[in-house]
Amino acid sequence: ITTTAYTTSSTAQTAIDTWSTSTYRSAKIIAQITSGTSYQASEIMLLGNGTNTYMTQYGDLYSTGSALGTFDSVITGGYIQLLFTPVNSTTTVKLSTTLIPV
């Protein structure tokens, strides 16, 4: 289990976590997102087959009734990247990630 934190400075999509496809195939991620006094918590399951990623996001909780951003994933250069696109420019994302080896 790893923990990471990332603070955005724009609303552009950004890679907020990365791991090798040759080392890890799947992950379970718990995300806590903060923007001002608004909060979101989400759980994500992610699977990579070396070429494509497959993910589902569930268990979403919002303190304001709407999402503070969206998640996506991609494989680039042998690495799975977890991508985040924030609604607001200054947003902090904290992740607790469980990686499962190939």
Side-chain angles (χ1 to χ4, degrees):
I1 297 176
T2 62
T3 56
T4 56
Y6 185 87
T7 300
T8 65
S9 58
S10 76
T11 57
Q13 186 178 62
T14 305
I16 60 171
D17 205 356
T18 303
W19 56 89
S20 171
T21 58
S22 63
T23 306
Y24 301 104
R25 178 160 301 134
S26 55
K28 180 177 183 178
I29 304 153
I30 298 173
Q32 175 184 280
I33 305 155
T34 304
S35 182
T37 58
S38 299
Y39 310 102
Q40 175 180 341
S42 299
E43 197 162 359
I44 300 162
M45 291 292 297
L46 196 153
L47 172 70
N49 67 3
T51 305
N52 298 303
T53 60
Y54 308 91
M55 63 179 274
T56 186
Q57 180 177 330
Y58 54 94
D60 295 321
L61 301 171
Y62 312 113
S63 69
T64 58
S66 61
L68 298 176
T70 58
F71 291 95
D72 201 356
S73 59
V74 67
I75 293 179
T76 302
Y79 290 87
I80 296 173
Q81 293 183 335
L82 178 66
L83 307 172
F84 180 70
T85 306
V87 171
N88 303 308
S89 59
T90 304
T91 301
T92 299
V93 181
K94 293 182 180 179
L95 305 173
S96 176
T97 305
T98 302
L99 298 170
I100 301 171
V102 170

